[in-house]
Amino acid sequence: MARWRLRLNIRTKLLALALMLAWLPLLGVSWFGLQSLATARATAEESTIDALRRQTENSLAERAADKAKLYNSTLDHIQQQVESVAGYANTLIAAGPPTEGGGERVWVVPGGATPRNLANYPETVARARQITPLIRTMVARNQLISLGYVAFETGGVIAFNQDIIDKLPYSFDPRDRPWYKAAKTQKGTVWADTYVDANTLQLVTTCATPLYDTEGRVIGVVGFDILLQTIQQDLLQTDIGAQGGAFLLNSDGQVLVAPQMRTDNLQWNEQFRTENLLDSDDPRLRSVVNRMVNGETGIKRLMVDQDDIYLAYAPVNYSGWSVGIIYPESAISGPAKAVGSNIATQQDDLRNQVAIILLLSLIALPVVGATLTLWLTRPLRRLQLGAQRVAAGNFSHQIAVESNDEIGDLVRSFNSMSVALGQQVDELEDNLHRLATLNEVSNRFKTIVSLPELLDMIPRSVCDDLGFDRAALYLAEGSYLRCIAASFGKGNEQQAIDFIEAANNDPVSLEGSTIEADIMRSGQAVIIDNPWEHPKIPQAKQEVAQSESYVQVPIFGHDEVIIGLLSADYQFSQREITPRDAAQLLTYASVVGLTIENTKLYNHLEQQVTQRTTELRAAMERAQEADKLKTQFLAAISHELRTPLNAIIGFSTVMLDELDGPITSMQREDLRTINQNGRVLLHLINELLDLARIEANRVEISPESFALSEVVGEVTDTVQGLIVGKPIKIHASLPSQSLRVYADRAKTRQVLLNLLSNAVKFTSEGTVAITARPMTMMAEGTQQPRTFIAIGVRDTGIGIAPEHFGEIFEEFRQVHAGRTGARGSGLGLAITRKFVELMGGQIWVESELGQGSTFTFTLPVPELGPHDPQNEAAQDDARSIMDGTHA
């Protein structure tokens, strides 16, 4: 029967199916008339939609222009009201101090309308109360304004047209609000971008204009608020239905007002970030936004979120904003499409009737086609199901061969492929398991820094991770191989100790003929199946191990150098050792070798670090002792030199005064030279003594409150003797003769004297000026600001290069030594810096070669005390100078 079975290949089957499907064009002819009707309907629908679109575009453009005109008029009216209030307020300010105002509550920063805050700024509070009635009147005239207020720079005082003081947070400061900053920065009327109102926690925009004093300085801001909700409901309300909407855009492309803008989870003191349409990913939308920002008028069709929309826009010239109206394209084409849909429904009914007639007349053709398709696809379906089972992991599944054609050949090939794939997957899973085990072992070994602990763990890990029953670790030491550690399983610890002892009693020579020596030389893994009869196995060790078979593999370190070997067996389970076991142990040994050498290197480096640390600590102690001896020597030698030197200066002075009798002119010159050089040497010795005291922490600072002008006058008189015969003028410019500092008076005098002496020394002609000014700095060791007096000594001398700024304050350093003929010890500026820092100040230099130098140092002002009138006066004096109100 099978001999007469007809074999049809795929090509024959496809040809038969194609002949049957050739009848399908007959069906196309039947549908031609129906398609013509559908085309006519689509054309009419498209023409209607085009006409509606043109009409809508014109209407939207007109509405955008009208809405911009309305908004422009509204903004103009509100701005005129704000500027009217500001003009009236400026008139009141120019008229002089305000009279006592009404009882309106005002806010004073921080904390609000507390009696203490109101008492701190009585004039500003009275001014705010004076202007409040006018603001209340203006707000009552315009229903769009939600809130009016006037804020002042002094004290952060602000008054509102209605009492909202209790609603404001404790830290509210009008000077930090966007409307205040914008009006103050631009010094003119501004419309602030959308922000969160501290009172209502709603989005608002503000029209604000600054107030000025008689000297043209900004002293406050008047502002009127418009709620975003008011703008949406009144100014931007459109009559284009619920599907359309309007929004406002500022000159930076940011959306100021939109129908769905909310302040959920946003605090009043956080910056409200709106969407910037100039950052859109759509280049066509960015192009339209650029036109809006540039003040153009027009309409554009865009694709936004997979929907077509129309965007009409027009500028609000008064504020620099732009109004946009959005209308979906679906709202335009929807009615026309609905009519077309009704026509299409009727056409579908007609098409169904034609289809039924054709189906009944050609029922035989689908039956034959279905039979041929089933005949063709049934073996392919079986092949598909078999592939799905193999894909699900069932590699043992085999598909029955039911045909003798190309599909049958394909099924046979598929069965062979699934068997081979199953073998490959099993091998891959085994390799992945081995790699995972090695990775886990490597990570565990990395946490061990103790070499003995690591060596003891390696054999145990071989048993725990690779499944061997027993394992031993050998390492090369010189020309021998010694057993370092062994693991023979729980309860067999003594046997492992005996094995290590037996192996090391007669250590394996690397030059010998044992199996271990061969492995160390060849680098190959070896499986030993007959250890009792093998001529290269030491029998003393075998007597203890009692192994029937085991595997040994070399351990490779850095640069492929063999540093030892691993040995393992299945003594208890009596499993046969396979080449796969040997390969797994060999891979494991490669990880072990690198870990052992890395741990050795780490331990060696740790020893070196400990040794170097000990050496450095000893060197530091010696250096500290030498520095201490140097300080003691400087103090001792300074004291020893001062006594004879004072005698020389004293006797030369007596002789110059001719107390011991008359002297000749030549003797006078010699004595004057002796006296002057003695005084110079005494100054140098005093500097050395000061330096020694500073380094020994023996300098005593006795701070007191004193007038800076007194010390400046004393030092100026002293330095006058240094400029005799030189075209140099010294003058002091202090903002107040009563300006006081809190410092050591003697040390302050010495600091000024050192700086003035240096200025005179390096200035051949010109001026040396002393200046003082208050400044606020963070006090050292605290985070609290404190007022200091910055005292500057400016000269017109040779100057200092910027690269030497860091050297001039170092001990025994002279930047200009040899350039001007002026020489010294190089200690003056070093001592000056230390004295300034001990008094709680700082010192720095500003200079330019050939233009002179300015040395500036700071001293604290007396802290304000309740029973210290001088301290209180000094604080008031410093504040008045910083505010610029000092006479």
Side-chain angles (χ1 to χ4, degrees):
M1 188 77 178
R3 290 182 303 173
W4 296 98
R5 186 175 180 180
L6 180 63
R7 176 176 178 177
L8 296 178
N9 56 25
I10 298 297
R11 185 180 303 168
T12 304
K13 296 176 182 178
L14 291 176
L15 179 60
L17 180 61
L19 290 175
M20 297 302 298
L21 294 179
W23 296 99
L24 291 178
L26 295 176
L27 301 177
V29 175
S30 303
W31 288 93
F32 180 74
L34 296 175
Q35 293 300 323
S36 299
L37 293 175
T39 301
R41 175 189 57 79
T43 301
E45 181 179 334
E46 183 177 355
S47 299
T48 302
I49 292 175
D50 288 342
L52 291 174
R53 286 172 179 168
R54 288 191 296 271
Q55 181 181 0
T56 303
E57 288 177 0
N58 295 332
S59 176
L60 288 177
E62 292 176 358
R63 292 179 180 178
D66 291 343
K67 188 59 66 177
K69 183 176 180 181
L70 171 62
Y71 201 85
N72 198 50
S73 174
T74 303
L75 295 184
D76 186 13
H77 181 59
I78 294 174
Q79 183 165 333
Q80 288 178 4
Q81 290 179 304
V82 173
E83 291 175 346
S84 296
V85 174
Y88 174 74
N90 287 328
T91 302
L92 293 177
I93 293 169
T99 60
E100 290 295 330
E104 290 87 352
R105 299 179 70 194
V106 299
W107 180 270
V108 183
V109 176
T114 64
R116 182 177 181 180
N117 283 347
L118 296 177
N120 287 337
Y121 308 99
E123 182 177 342
T124 307
V125 171
R127 181 71 70 192
R129 289 171 172 171
Q130 185 182 27
I131 301 173
T132 302
L134 178 60
I135 295 177
R136 185 181 297 113
T137 301
M138 287 296 185
V139 172
R141 293 178 181 177
N142 196 327
Q143 296 181 352
L144 295 178
I145 301 174
S146 63
L147 187 65
Y149 39 83
V150 58
F152 290 92
E153 187 75 15
T154 303
V157 175
I158 182 170
F160 303 90
N161 69 298
Q162 53 181 295
D163 188 2
I164 63 169
I165 300 301
D166 296 331
K167 299 180 181 179
L168 296 178
Y170 180 85
S171 60
F172 176 78
D173 191 338
R175 295 168 294 185
D176 295 334
R177 302 304 286 156
W179 53 269
Y180 192 98
K181 291 181 178 180
K184 181 179 178 181
T185 300
Q186 299 187 19
K187 294 186 177 181
T189 304
V190 297
W191 279 94
D193 290 344
T194 305
Y195 66 94
V196 179
D197 179 38
N199 172 33
T200 62
L201 297 182
Q202 298 184 31
L203 293 177
V204 299
T205 182
T206 298
C207 179
T209 188
L211 301 178
Y212 301 91
D213 61 8
T214 56
E215 296 181 3
R217 293 173 297 190
V218 176
I219 63 171
V221 173
V222 175
F224 284 175
D225 286 353
I226 305 178
L227 291 175
L228 172 64
Q229 182 178 3
T230 302
I231 297 175
Q232 293 171 340
Q233 294 177 352
D234 296 340
L235 298 180
L236 294 183
Q237 185 64 34
T238 62
D239 56 353
I240 56 178
Q243 295 176 311
F247 66 94
L248 274 179
L249 200 71
N250 68 4
S251 59
D252 294 329
Q254 294 182 340
V255 178
L256 298 179
V257 180
Q260 302 301 325
M261 289 179 65
R262 300 173 61 88
T263 59
D264 294 345
N265 300 323
L266 188 65
Q267 301 297 323
W268 67 273
N269 54 359
E270 295 181 2
Q271 183 178 0
F272 180 71
R273 300 186 180 276
T274 62
E275 181 181 8
N276 193 316
L277 299 184
L278 289 175
D279 297 334
S280 172
D281 296 333
D282 189 349
R284 293 185 300 174
L285 178 57
R286 291 199 304 269
S287 175
V288 175
V289 173
N290 276 317
R291 295 178 184 176
M292 296 178 69
V293 169
N294 293 331
E296 299 181 17
T297 301
I299 186 170
K300 186 70 174 179
R301 182 177 177 182
L302 302 171
M303 172 70 75
V304 177
D305 296 332
Q306 308 302 320
D307 292 328
D308 282 346
I309 65 167
Y310 283 95
L311 173 56
Y313 51 92
V316 181
N317 297 323
Y318 203 76
S319 61
W321 298 344
S322 183
V323 173
I325 297 179
I326 298 175
Y327 196 70
E329 193 276 341
S330 59
I332 302 172
S333 59
K337 290 182 177 180
V339 174
S341 177
N342 292 333
I343 298 175
T345 301
Q346 297 177 2
Q347 291 178 345
D348 290 340
D349 293 340
L350 179 59
R351 184 182 294 107
N352 293 335
Q353 295 174 3
V354 174
I356 292 174
I357 296 174
L358 291 174
L359 182 62
L360 293 175
S361 61
L362 299 175
I363 190 66
L365 184 60
V367 172
V368 175
T371 303
L372 291 176
T373 301
L374 181 61
W375 180 33
L376 176 65
T377 59
R378 186 171 60 182
L380 294 177
R381 178 60 177 169
R382 289 199 302 271
L383 186 61
Q384 179 187 14
L385 294 176
Q388 291 175 352
R389 292 188 178 182
V390 172
N394 185 7
F395 300 107
S396 61
H397 177 70
Q398 297 288 297
I399 303 175
V401 180
E402 298 182 355
S403 61
N404 198 24
D405 53 11
E406 291 88 341
I407 294 181
D409 297 337
L410 182 61
V411 169
R412 296 186 188 92
S413 299
F414 180 84
N415 291 335
S416 301
M417 180 196 68
S418 63
V419 173
L421 185 60
Q423 296 174 351
Q424 294 293 330
V425 170
D426 291 341
E427 185 176 351
L428 180 60
E429 288 179 349
D430 183 63
N431 291 334
L432 288 176
H433 176 71
R434 290 165 56 189
L435 289 176
T437 301
L438 290 175
N439 182 64
E440 181 183 353
V441 171
S442 177
N443 292 334
R444 187 166 64 247
F445 284 168
K446 289 178 181 178
T447 62
I448 302 175
V449 297
S450 172
L451 183 61
E453 181 183 353
L454 174 65
L455 298 178
D456 184 64
M457 177 175 284
I458 289 173
R460 288 189 283 110
S461 180
V462 170
C463 299
D464 295 340
D465 297 324
L466 303 185
F468 287 98
D469 295 336
R470 304 188 305 180
L473 169 66
Y474 297 83
L475 290 181
E477 295 181 359
S479 59
Y480 290 94
L481 191 68
R482 296 185 179 276
C483 183
I484 303 301
S487 175
F488 278 25
K490 188 175 182 180
N492 299 311
E493 290 80 5
Q494 186 59 45
Q495 187 181 7
I497 295 174
D498 295 341
F499 175 81
I500 295 175
E501 182 179 355
N504 291 332
N505 283 337
D506 185 15
V508 176
S509 174
L510 299 180
E511 304 297 331
S513 59
T514 61
I515 288 291
E516 289 83 355
D518 292 343
I519 295 174
M520 293 291 291
R521 288 191 292 267
S522 65
Q524 301 293 324
V526 176
I527 299 176
I528 299 94
D529 291 326
N530 54 344
W532 293 103
E533 301 176 0
H534 202 291
K536 293 185 176 184
I537 301 297
Q539 291 303 309
K541 182 176 65 173
Q542 178 63 23
E543 288 291 342
V544 178
Q546 298 290 318
S547 298
E548 299 299 329
S549 66
Y550 57 90
V551 58
Q552 289 185 334
V553 298
I555 300 175
F556 290 91
H558 294 297
D559 300 325
E560 298 298 321
V561 176
I562 301 175
I563 63 172
L565 60 83
L566 277 175
S567 178
D569 63 20
Y570 293 115
Q571 179 68 16
F572 305 135
S573 61
Q574 295 298 313
R575 282 178 49 193
E576 180 183 357
I577 298 177
T578 65
R580 182 185 294 273
D581 297 328
Q584 188 175 11
L585 186 61
L586 185 63
T587 305
Y588 183 89
S590 64
V591 176
V592 168
L594 295 177
T595 304
I596 291 174
E597 292 210 335
N598 289 339
T599 304
K600 287 181 177 180
L601 179 60
Y602 173 81
N603 290 334
H604 179 66
L605 291 175
E606 191 175 45
Q607 294 174 358
Q608 288 184 329
V609 169
T610 303
Q611 180 181 356
R612 295 294 184 272
T613 302
T614 303
E615 294 174 355
L616 289 174
R617 184 179 292 110
M620 183 178 67
E621 292 175 354
R622 292 195 297 271
Q624 290 175 346
E625 181 64 23
D627 186 65
K628 181 180 179 181
L629 292 175
K630 181 204 72 173
T631 302
Q632 293 175 352
F633 171 77
L634 287 176
I637 197 64
S638 298
H639 282 292
E640 293 297 329
L641 291 175
R642 288 179 69 186
T643 301
L645 190 57
N646 281 327
I648 293 172
I649 295 172
F651 282 114
S652 62
T653 303
V654 169
M655 296 177 71
L656 284 171
D657 294 339
E658 298 183 355
L659 298 178
D660 293 336
I663 58 176
T664 64
S665 59
M666 185 175 296
Q667 290 174 337
R668 182 177 298 279
E669 290 299 324
D670 292 340
L671 288 172
R672 182 179 290 111
T673 302
I674 292 173
N675 188 276
Q676 289 178 350
N677 287 319
R679 292 182 184 275
V680 171
L681 183 57
L682 180 61
H683 178 69
L684 296 178
I685 292 173
N686 287 335
E687 286 184 339
L688 287 172
L689 186 57
D690 287 338
L691 180 63
R693 288 172 178 169
I694 291 172
E695 291 183 348
N697 293 324
R698 294 180 179 175
V699 177
E700 295 182 359
I701 299 298
S702 301
E704 60 178 308
S705 174
F706 61 88
L708 181 63
S709 58
E710 298 175 0
V711 175
V712 172
E714 295 172 5
V715 175
T716 304
D717 293 340
T718 303
V719 178
Q720 290 294 337
L722 300 177
I723 62 174
V724 175
K726 298 180 69 174
I728 299 175
K729 293 183 179 181
I730 300 178
H731 65 86
S733 176
L734 303 181
S736 171
Q737 293 299 315
S738 62
L739 190 64
R740 305 182 71 83
V741 296
Y742 186 73
D744 189 304
R745 186 186 186 108
K747 299 298 186 294
T748 303
R749 184 182 184 281
Q750 187 171 349
V751 168
L752 272 172
L753 184 58
N754 285 347
L755 294 179
L756 283 173
S757 299
N758 268 2
V760 171
K761 183 188 302 183
F762 297 108
T763 302
S764 57
E765 60 178 348
T767 60
V768 176
I770 304 173
T771 61
R773 58 185 173 85
M775 65 185 300
T776 300
M777 300 172 56
M778 290 296 180
E780 185 176 359
T782 68
Q783 296 298 322
Q784 298 296 327
R786 184 175 179 182
T787 303
F788 290 78
I789 301 299
I791 306 163
V793 177
R794 184 176 68 252
D795 62 63
T796 57
I798 60 178
I800 305 170
E803 59 268 21
H804 296 312
F805 285 178
E807 302 176 6
I808 60 176
F809 293 106
E810 296 179 5
E811 301 165 2
F812 306 106
R813 296 299 296 270
Q814 291 181 286
V815 175
H816 294 307
R819 290 185 54 189
T820 64
R823 301 190 57 84
S825 63
L827 294 176
L829 288 178
I831 294 173
T832 297
R833 182 187 65 178
K834 293 180 183 297
F835 280 170
V836 170
E837 291 175 349
L838 287 173
M839 290 187 291
Q842 299 179 18
I843 186 170
W844 64 90
V845 64
E846 299 171 286
S847 181
E848 184 178 351
L849 282 176
Q851 302 298 321
S853 305
T854 300
F855 285 84
T856 305
F857 66 97
T858 61
L859 294 177
V861 302
E863 293 186 355
L864 183 61
H867 305 296
D868 192 347
Q870 286 188 342
N871 289 354
E872 184 174 358
Q875 290 280 354
D876 293 340
D877 195 29
R879 281 196 296 268
S880 65
I881 293 171
M882 296 179 70
D883 295 338
T885 60
H886 197 279

